[in-house]
């Protein structure tokens, strides 16, 4: 029986060592991921932002040249740039996993799948159509509302003459 106890103790010690090593690798991965940040710049260079590995915005820089744009265009560019930055998170997470715990780990694959779900690829960068002010609804912050045009003058009414069955006087016979 002593051999069985010794073998069990060795197996338990190996298991404990394996768990400790795995915990150290996960801790290393967590530290690496926590220290990651992504900085992205908009295609026109007016927006520069940084996010953490959790996808939360940590800084936004807007160039002075953005003042020449409509606020709707600036805010849309901020959102496109943020989505572009967030779409890079799964790639960086996968790289950190490969360097610390490996890509064959079941937990690592679950974390990676969750990151892909939360941070999908950025939408294709197409140029938005120009905003036509005549078709816009709502309040326009950039320009004061145009005054309403004055009502069109009504033609003066002609005094009515006594009705004559044979003369319509150029007027309607329906009235």
């Amino acid at each position: 029986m002593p051999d069985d106890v010794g073998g069990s103790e060795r197996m338990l010690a190996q298991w404990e060592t394996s768990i400790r090593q795995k915990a150290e690798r996960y801790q290393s991965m967590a530290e690496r991921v926590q220290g990651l940040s992504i900085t992205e710049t908009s295609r026109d260079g007016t927006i520069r932002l940084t996010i953490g590995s959790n996808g939360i915005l940590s800084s936004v820089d807007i160039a002075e040249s953005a003042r020449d744009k409509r606020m709707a265009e600036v805010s849309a560019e901020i959102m496109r740039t943020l989505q572009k930055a967030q779409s890079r998170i799964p790639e960086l997470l996968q790289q950190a996993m490969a360097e610390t715990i490996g890509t064959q780990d079941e937990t690592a694959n679950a974390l990676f799948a969750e990151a892909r779900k939360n941070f999908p690829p950025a939408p294709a960068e197409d140029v938005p159509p120009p905003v036509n002010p005549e078709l816009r609804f709502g309040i326009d912050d950039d320009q004061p509302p145009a005054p309403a045009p004055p009502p069109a003058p009504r033609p003066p009414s002609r005094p009515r003459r006594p009705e004559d069955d044979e003369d319509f006087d150029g007027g309607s016979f329906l009235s």
Side-chain angles (χ1 to χ4, degrees), residues 23 26 30 33-34 38 47 66 68 75 81 88 107 111-112 117 129-130:
Y26 272 95
V33 168
Q34 189 175 14
I38 299 168
I47 309 297
D68 299 330
S75 61
T81 307
R88 293 177 46 202
T107 305
L111 289 171
F112 181 63
K117 184 176 89 178

Side-chain angles (χ1 to χ4, degrees), residues 98-172:
E99 294 171 358
T100 55
I101 61 176
T103 57
Q104 301 304 317
D105 187 89
E106 186 177 316
T107 305
N109 289 328
L111 289 171
F112 181 63
E114 187 69 17
R116 279 193 317 229
K117 184 176 89 178
N118 291 332
F119 304 110
E125 289 196 31
D126 54 344
V127 177
V131 177
N132 184 348
E134 286 79 26
L135 300 177
R136 292 174 30 117
F137 295 97
I139 298 173
D140 189 352
D141 293 337
D142 294 342
Q143 299 177 6
R154 293 182 62 181
S157 59
R158 284 193 255 153
R160 294 195 70 146
R161 293 191 303 177
E163 296 214 68
D164 183 12
D165 286 342
E166 295 182 18
D167 183 20
F168 295 107
D169 191 32
S172 172

Side-chain angles (χ1 to χ4, degrees), residues 20-90:
R20 191 175 334 103
Q21 289 172 345
K22 193 172 194 176
E24 288 170 358
R25 287 193 312 269
Y26 272 95
Q27 183 63 36
S28 176
M29 183 195 76
E31 289 169 0
R32 181 173 285 180
V33 168
Q34 189 175 14
L36 290 176
S37 67
I38 299 168
T39 299
E40 192 69 52
T41 303
S42 64
R43 60 183 167 214
D44 64 359
T46 58
I47 309 297
R48 185 172 186 261
L49 56 82
T50 302
I51 62 170
S53 61
N54 55 4
I56 296 176
L57 196 58
S58 60
S59 75
V60 176
D61 296 314
I62 302 174
E64 288 295 322
S65 60
R67 73 174 171 259
D68 299 330
K69 294 183 170 194
R70 299 181 55 77
M71 288 298 106
E73 293 171 9
V74 174
S75 61
E77 195 63 37
I78 290 171
M79 290 307 297
R80 273 191 297 276
T81 307
L82 178 61
Q83 288 174 333
K84 189 175 174 185
Q86 288 175 335
S87 72
R88 293 177 46 202
I89 290 174

Side-chain angles (χ1 to χ4, degrees), residues 7-17:
S8 295
E9 287 177 352
R10 279 191 303 279
M11 187 172 72
L12 187 58
Q14 288 172 349
W15 185 60
E16 185 179 327
T17 301

